[in-house]
Amino acid sequence: MITGLMMLMPCCKQAGLWIKKHPMRTFSKSKLLALRQCPKRLWLEIHRPELREDSDATQISFQIGHQVGDIAQRIYDPQGLGAVIDVQSEGFARAFERSAELLGTAQAIFEAGFSAGGALAFADVMLPEQQDGQQVWRMVEVKSSTSVKDYHRDDVAVQAFVARSAGVALQSIALAHIDSSWTYPGNGDYSGLLKENDLSAEAFSRTEEVKAWITQAQLVTASPVEPAIEIGAHCDAPFACGFYDYCSRNEPKPEYPVYWLPYIGAKARELATQGVTDLRNVPDNLLNAKQQRVKNHTLANAVFFDAAGAAADLAIHSLPAYFLDFETIQFAVPIWKGTRPYQQNTFQFSLHTLSASGQLDHTAFLDLSGNDPSQPFAQALIAACGEQGPVYVYNAGFETARISELAIRHPQFSAALLAINARVVDLLPIARERYYHPSQQGSWSIKKVLPAVVPELRYDALDGVQDGGMAMQAFLEAIHPDTCTARKNQIEQQLLAYCKLDTYAMVRLWQVFAGRTDLKL
């Protein structure tokens, strides 16, 4: 998987001697999975953990995992009769001891701990079953993803190995993930949230593999020197590695990175293996027209603007015009009846209206009550958008999909909502075809285009909320019952200001692209 590891590994005989000379470690499942991603990551987690810097997205994924785990306990133990092991408060020794005690009972166990064979693991769910008059156990590992991933298979293989090595009568092991097609019926009923996949046969057949990983982990961590492994695709698969900044600190930083080329994707890694990391060295015959434009104008530090083409694109649409943007929130575990896991739920919109006379007005909707905002959102949107005139958005697929979902959830408003969809005009394709500034660095997100086209407007000048991810986090904080009124009011103003800038940005982009210098906006 990682060729640099082969230079690290001695022969089997040498490996045995090496391990005998070094104290044996017991590795958690997470450490073994770190090894599977990159031996250097494992070494750093053991010897230099202070260098790890997890992204906000990684931290959020941890939070979601805990939330789904809590719901799983309610699903698998609806009467609340099971036992929960809390290693944080009990400590490892007592957690293992109490787990062994509980395995002698016939109750569900959550976070049961096992340590054997050089590894330790904690099972999300252990359920007692009877087989041939004997009590056996069924293990369920719970994940917040919506499907079984390859690394999940490694995960359950480790769990099965450790539990069986510890003497547990483990009869089966399943992986439960979120069923994204399930709709929450309300009233705290989450019985259909998780979908199980039996991985028993596969997990039980991988005992020797897991043993090899443990031996490999001993060798990697016993070394006083970190493995010499270069950065690569493994740094982001299956997870973004928290040591990336450290590992890449001495990597040459190209002046014009290849990844600025739009849609370059995997080709960037292929070029990197050939030593091509700078735009100046990318052969033109590998580029499509848009990539070539980005390369040429970036290297020339010149702006591309097809003003006539942009004006022609917009000339077919008359005033009044509406400029619309949504903010949404996703819940792995839905909290509102009629919604699905990870569904994009609208909670805010901003709408600028430009009249035929050139007057600009603003309307906003924001619901921080914590209640399902979909119906009042739909009603406010219909009232604000009028019945005629283009409705400009930036990346139409997002807003139109949300409007279509609202029409399904609230059929009484379906005709009016879908009529709005029929009027939508997308500014993003016009920006992509007609405009490029080197400061965009290959991106046409509105966060990149706005400061290029209208330099006096910048998202980083906003207080608090400056992007969609921050808006989601702010919303979650605002609806939390422990958030005080003063903080909630502060968040409300920050969200309103952020979303308002999104639609005002579209107004100004439209003005430049349409060539309407006659309007004072």
Side-chain angles (χ1 to χ4, degrees), residues 121-138:
F122 289 85
D124 291 331
V125 183
M126 293 291 288
L127 301 172
E129 295 183 342
Q130 289 294 316
Q131 184 180 65
D132 299 329
Q134 299 293 319
Q135 179 169 293
V136 295
W137 291 89
R138 182 167 81 91

Side-chain angles (χ1 to χ4, degrees), residues 62 229 395 433:
F62 292 155
I229 298 173
N395 189 12
E433 292 300 320

